[in-house]
Amino acid sequence: MGNAAAAELFGNDDWSVQTDGIEHRETGYFIARGALAMRRAEGLWDWPLQMAEKRWCRPSLFREAFLAALDRFGIARDAELIRSFALGYGIRAVVAPAADTFVSLGEMLTPRETLEPVRVTVRRPARALAAAGA
């Protein structure tokens, strides 16, 4: 994580691909070159799933930078990479990336707000009141 402008191999509005990894421009979040190809036990790529949990991470820009980094560093892609993006961000982020037009898995699992319960008053029919002795 050095001078991003001097060592930048690829860049977009959010991410900088450098010789030692990729870095988020605003937050400084850094993924080391040697960690880019990390996999989970079931074979899914770790970073697309991890970054899907970050509310500040715009998927289309992360995907663009991540794929550029894989290309620059000679890391082979496979079907599990597509599956990892689809599971993390939704199928639309894989097929036609759009900045803010989808719901991430993290947002589906974490409610945005807690709704107050709605109380409904039910009026009993007069027959029910009479039968109850009222």
Side-chain angles (χ1 to χ4, degrees):
M1 291 188 305
N3 183 353
E8 188 169 82
L9 303 173
F10 171 86
N12 60 30
D13 288 345
D14 285 359
W15 293 90
S16 172
V17 177
Q18 304 161 23
T19 56
D20 56 350
I22 65 175
E23 182 175 16
H24 188 260
R25 294 183 190 282
E26 186 177 324
T27 64
Y29 195 92
F30 183 77
I31 304 171
R33 178 179 181 164
L36 285 171
M38 284 178 29
R39 306 288 184 113
R40 295 189 175 185
E42 69 278 4
L44 295 172
W45 291 64
D46 194 41
W47 289 109
L49 296 171
Q50 279 197 49
M51 298 313 292
E53 298 170 355
K54 313 284 188 233
R55 291 189 181 270
W56 49 262
C57 182
R58 292 193 289 178
S60 60
L61 296 178
F62 170 71
R63 182 176 182 271
E64 179 184 44
F66 189 79
L67 296 178
L70 296 181
D71 292 344
R72 300 300 191 287
F73 303 144
I75 300 170
R77 305 177 191 187
D78 62 12
E80 294 305 310
L81 179 61
I82 295 169
R83 243 181 100 222
S84 302
F85 273 105
L87 288 172
Y89 291 110
I91 194 69
R92 289 175 54 194
V94 175
V95 176
D100 298 313
T101 60
F102 70 97
V103 177
S104 72
L105 181 59
E107 287 177 318
M108 290 189 324
L109 298 176
T110 307
R112 290 186 179 179
E113 60 184 61
T114 304
L115 299 175
E116 292 294 322
V118 177
R119 299 191 186 274
V120 178
T121 304
V122 179
R123 295 181 52 181
R124 291 184 178 181
R127 285 188 296 203
L129 294 173

